[in-house]
mmCIF file of all heavy atoms in Angstrom:
data_model
loop_
_atom_site.group_PDB
_atom_site.id
_atom_site.type_symbol
_atom_site.label_atom_id
_atom_site.label_comp_id
_atom_site.label_asym_id
_atom_site.label_seq_id
_atom_site.Cartn_x
_atom_site.Cartn_y
_atom_site.Cartn_z
ATOM 1 N N PRO A 154 87.393 104.214 90.038
ATOM 2 C CA PRO A 154 87.251 103.392 88.833
ATOM 3 C C PRO A 154 88.428 102.415 88.727
ATOM 4 O O PRO A 154 89.575 102.796 88.953
ATOM 5 C CB PRO A 154 87.314 104.422 87.697
ATOM 6 C CG PRO A 154 87.008 105.744 88.332
ATOM 7 C CD PRO A 154 87.517 105.645 89.728
ATOM 8 N N MET A 155 88.108 101.171 88.422
ATOM 9 C CA MET A 155 89.158 100.151 88.331
ATOM 10 C C MET A 155 89.817 100.206 86.952
ATOM 11 O O MET A 155 89.143 100.202 85.925
ATOM 12 C CB MET A 155 88.566 98.765 88.572
ATOM 13 C CG MET A 155 88.126 98.577 90.011
ATOM 14 S SD MET A 155 87.655 96.887 90.370
ATOM 15 C CE MET A 155 86.155 96.766 89.433
ATOM 16 N N LEU A 156 91.141 100.255 86.980
ATOM 17 C CA LEU A 156 91.898 100.344 85.737
ATOM 18 C C LEU A 156 92.744 99.088 85.559
ATOM 19 O O LEU A 156 93.275 98.539 86.525
ATOM 20 C CB LEU A 156 92.827 101.565 85.763
ATOM 21 C CG LEU A 156 92.189 102.912 86.129
ATOM 22 C CD1 LEU A 156 93.235 104.015 86.108
ATOM 23 C CD2 LEU A 156 91.056 103.247 85.174
ATOM 24 N N ALA A 157 92.871 98.644 84.311
ATOM 25 C CA ALA A 157 93.706 97.484 84.001
ATOM 26 C C ALA A 157 94.069 97.552 82.524
ATOM 27 O O ALA A 157 93.319 98.121 81.722
ATOM 28 C CB ALA A 157 92.947 96.194 84.293
ATOM 29 N N ASP A 158 95.221 97.004 82.173
ATOM 30 C CA ASP A 158 95.527 96.861 80.752
ATOM 31 C C ASP A 158 96.007 95.448 80.414
ATOM 32 O O ASP A 158 96.662 95.226 79.404
ATOM 33 C CB ASP A 158 96.507 97.942 80.260
ATOM 34 C CG ASP A 158 97.796 97.991 81.066
ATOM 35 O OD1 ASP A 158 97.957 97.194 82.004
ATOM 36 O OD2 ASP A 158 98.653 98.839 80.745
ATOM 37 N N ARG A 159 95.663 94.492 81.323
ATOM 38 C CA ARG A 159 95.878 93.066 81.038
ATOM 39 C C ARG A 159 94.664 92.303 81.555
ATOM 40 O O ARG A 159 94.043 92.725 82.523
ATOM 41 C CB ARG A 159 97.088 92.526 81.795
ATOM 42 C CG ARG A 159 98.414 93.016 81.328
ATOM 43 C CD ARG A 159 99.515 92.296 82.113
ATOM 44 N NE ARG A 159 100.794 92.919 81.883
ATOM 45 C CZ ARG A 159 101.679 93.176 82.847
ATOM 46 N NH1 ARG A 159 101.399 92.860 84.101
ATOM 47 N NH2 ARG A 159 102.827 93.731 82.556
ATOM 48 N N THR A 160 94.386 91.179 80.924
ATOM 49 C CA THR A 160 93.290 90.341 81.423
ATOM 50 C C THR A 160 93.855 89.280 82.367
ATOM 51 O O THR A 160 95.066 89.089 82.451
ATOM 52 C CB THR A 160 92.585 89.609 80.264
ATOM 53 O OG1 THR A 160 93.532 88.717 79.674
ATOM 54 C CG2 THR A 160 92.066 90.584 79.227
ATOM 55 N N VAL A 161 92.965 88.576 83.033
ATOM 56 C CA VAL A 161 93.390 87.484 83.916
ATOM 57 C C VAL A 161 94.110 86.396 83.114
ATOM 58 O O VAL A 161 94.973 85.700 83.635
ATOM 59 C CB VAL A 161 92.172 86.902 84.680
ATOM 60 C CG1 VAL A 161 91.235 86.136 83.759
ATOM 61 C CG2 VAL A 161 92.610 86.027 85.841
ATOM 62 N N PHE A 162 93.782 86.293 81.829
ATOM 63 C CA PHE A 162 94.416 85.270 80.992
ATOM 64 C C PHE A 162 95.896 85.585 80.780
ATOM 65 O O PHE A 162 96.728 84.693 80.703
ATOM 66 C CB PHE A 162 93.693 85.164 79.637
ATOM 67 C CG PHE A 162 92.227 84.893 79.809
ATOM 68 C CD1 PHE A 162 91.285 85.931 79.716
ATOM 69 C CD2 PHE A 162 91.781 83.615 80.098
ATOM 70 C CE1 PHE A 162 89.946 85.676 79.904
ATOM 71 C CE2 PHE A 162 90.430 83.360 80.289
ATOM 72 C CZ PHE A 162 89.507 84.391 80.186
ATOM 73 N N GLU A 163 96.213 86.882 80.712
ATOM 74 C CA GLU A 163 97.611 87.284 80.548
ATOM 75 C C GLU A 163 98.334 87.335 81.891
ATOM 76 O O GLU A 163 99.541 87.134 81.961
ATOM 77 C CB GLU A 163 97.676 88.675 79.887
ATOM 78 C CG GLU A 163 97.142 88.680 78.476
ATOM 79 C CD GLU A 163 96.712 90.074 78.023
ATOM 80 O OE1 GLU A 163 95.859 90.685 78.691
ATOM 81 O OE2 GLU A 163 97.244 90.540 77.014
ATOM 82 N N ALA A 164 97.581 87.632 82.961
ATOM 83 C CA ALA A 164 98.213 87.833 84.271
ATOM 84 C C ALA A 164 98.497 86.522 84.998
ATOM 85 O O ALA A 164 99.346 86.482 85.880
ATOM 86 C CB ALA A 164 97.310 88.712 85.141
ATOM 87 N N THR A 165 97.793 85.458 84.637
ATOM 88 C CA THR A 165 97.927 84.190 85.374
ATOM 89 C C THR A 165 98.894 83.268 84.650
ATOM 90 O O THR A 165 98.683 82.958 83.472
ATOM 91 C CB THR A 165 96.545 83.512 85.490
ATOM 92 O OG1 THR A 165 95.626 84.464 86.023
ATOM 93 C CG2 THR A 165 96.600 82.299 86.396
#
Side-chain angles (χ1 to χ4, degrees):
M155 291 188 290
L156 309 180
D158 55 0
R159 290 184 191 136
T160 64
V161 70
F162 304 100
E163 295 158 303
T165 308

